[in-house]
Amino acid sequence: MKRTDIKFKTGWLFVFVLLFREAFALSMVADSLSNSDSLPNPSYLTLDVSYTNNNIVNNNLAGANIAALFADVTFYHKSGFYAGFMPTNYFNAAELSYDLDWSLGYSKFFNSGFYVDANYLNHSYRGDSALMGIDYRHAVSLSLNYSRQNWYLFTDATTTFGASQNYMFDAGLGYYASFDALFTKNDNLTLFPMLSLGFGSDYWLFDGLTLTEQAQIKILFRNEGFAWNTFDWHTTNLILPITYYLGNISASFTYLYAMPTSKYKALSWQNQSAFMFSLGYMLNF
């Protein structure tokens, strides 16, 4: 496997992790907004465990199953501040490979339908270098969402600080549907299909590469008519989270289909599909 092929693969891995976490966060936001009039505003702790198959298809790699197990323990204070710990373990790696992420943030709901979230993430990775993804230590994010009659407009901007400074931006539209008392008077089923566009810088493509390897990528882009060291359109994403709640327990299934733009198809990225299954528990205070 060439070093540049490894970089192409880990780019997809980073995109998938980002999209799955974004889908999880947006589902929680939509559920909170839809129940904001009927529920109190307590502090609460969420415990979630998720598995994703993350089956990556690449012309050069002939398919690479990079399954992962996520955990998320986050405390949300009623003031709007929250703190979380999010470890991730990657399977099928050459050695034990994992992320350890810590987050601090603040979120605010407005009666007008707006929701704002600001977040800091401390990220560390240990293990197989082929699964590292973007090499960064710190990230800051700002999200702005607007809801009206179950429709949700959402934007999310992220800056990562590491081997290179990179910028990501996602924007999309979703529709939230909720169905109560399906099997018991305490249960609820939600559907939240979303369509989003992903943009970002491409500086991370060259992190850790030799000058020769960097030149190979630049020549490839030039021959295909693309620029490099730019901020541009990465992917179009279809996301469908389905969540079942029974009291404070939840189970969700999320399907993701991501389509890269022509620039990243030149790097052998192909249309990708993946799923994530999650179990969660919410403890109110």
Side-chain angles (χ1 to χ4, degrees):
M1 181 184 298
K2 297 178 182 178
R3 180 65 180 275
T4 50
D5 293 343
I6 293 174
K7 284 293 179 179
F8 302 162
K9 179 183 68 174
T10 55
W12 262 128
L13 182 62
F14 179 82
V15 169
F16 269 59
V17 170
L18 200 65
L19 288 171
F20 273 133
R21 286 184 171 171
E22 181 180 66
F24 175 78
L26 284 169
S27 295
M28 289 191 63
V29 169
D31 188 60
S32 298
L33 285 173
S34 65
N35 293 285
S36 59
D37 294 333
S38 57
L39 294 179
N41 185 31
S43 300
Y44 59 95
L45 178 74
T46 62
L47 307 171
D48 294 278
V49 177
S50 306
Y51 169 84
T52 175
N53 70 324
N54 225 356
N55 192 31
I56 298 195
V57 180
N58 182 295
N59 285 333
N60 296 321
L61 301 172
N65 192 337
I66 313 176
L69 185 69
F70 302 91
D72 187 341
V73 181
T74 301
F75 175 73
Y76 296 86
H77 190 264
K78 59 185 178 180
S79 65
F81 290 98
Y82 62 88
F85 173 57
M86 296 160 288
T88 301
N89 181 69
Y90 298 103
F91 302 108
N92 301 326
E95 57 185 286
L96 178 64
S97 302
Y98 58 90
D99 289 324
L100 293 177
D101 293 342
W102 301 85
S103 67
L104 293 171
Y106 178 79
S107 59
K108 175 70 174 178
F109 297 94
F110 297 91
N111 292 333
S112 59
F114 282 99
Y115 165 77
V116 177
D117 181 277
N119 176 274
Y120 164 77
L121 181 73
N122 183 280
H123 170 81
S124 63
Y125 175 81
R126 297 290 184 275
D128 187 349
S129 61
L131 304 184
M132 181 182 293
I134 293 181
D135 184 5
Y136 73 100
R137 182 66 178 177
H138 309 280
V140 291
S141 300
L142 179 64
S143 300
L144 177 62
N145 307 317
Y146 176 73
S147 65
R148 184 176 179 83
Q149 297 179 347
N150 287 25
W151 288 96
Y152 289 81
L153 289 170
F154 54 90
T155 60
D156 183 80
T158 301
T159 302
T160 61
F161 302 89
S164 61
Q165 187 170 334
N166 286 275
Y167 310 93
M168 307 291 168
F169 179 78
D170 290 321
L173 176 68
Y175 183 82
Y176 183 80
S178 179
F179 307 92
D180 295 324
L182 294 178
F183 305 107
T184 74
K185 58 183 179 179
N186 272 352
D187 70 354
N188 171 266
L189 179 71
T190 65
L191 305 175
F192 193 18
M194 292 175 265
L195 172 67
S196 72
L197 301 178
F199 303 84
S201 56
D202 63 4
Y203 310 126
W204 59 271
L205 282 171
F206 305 98
D207 291 345
L209 298 183
T210 66
L211 293 177
T212 299
E213 291 167 334
Q214 293 181 37
Q216 290 173 343
I217 293 179
K218 292 176 181 178
I219 291 171
L220 173 62
F221 280 152
R222 185 185 63 194
N223 291 342
E224 296 291 333
F226 300 114
W228 57 87
N229 290 337
T230 61
F231 180 93
D232 50 27
W233 181 16
H234 281 180
T235 59
T236 300
N237 313 297
L238 301 173
I239 311 169
L240 177 59
I242 303 172
T243 305
Y244 178 76
Y245 297 92
L246 181 60
N248 287 353
I249 299 173
S250 65
S252 66
F253 175 85
T254 301
Y255 176 77
L256 170 65
Y257 191 76
M259 297 166 282
T261 57
S262 297
K263 175 178 176 178
Y264 292 91
K265 285 184 177 179
L267 300 182
S268 299
W269 292 17
Q270 297 181 20
N271 293 354
Q272 307 289 326
S273 64
F275 68 83
M276 182 173 70
F277 180 75
S278 306
L279 293 174
Y281 179 76
M282 179 183 291
L283 178 63
N284 292 326
F285 294 94

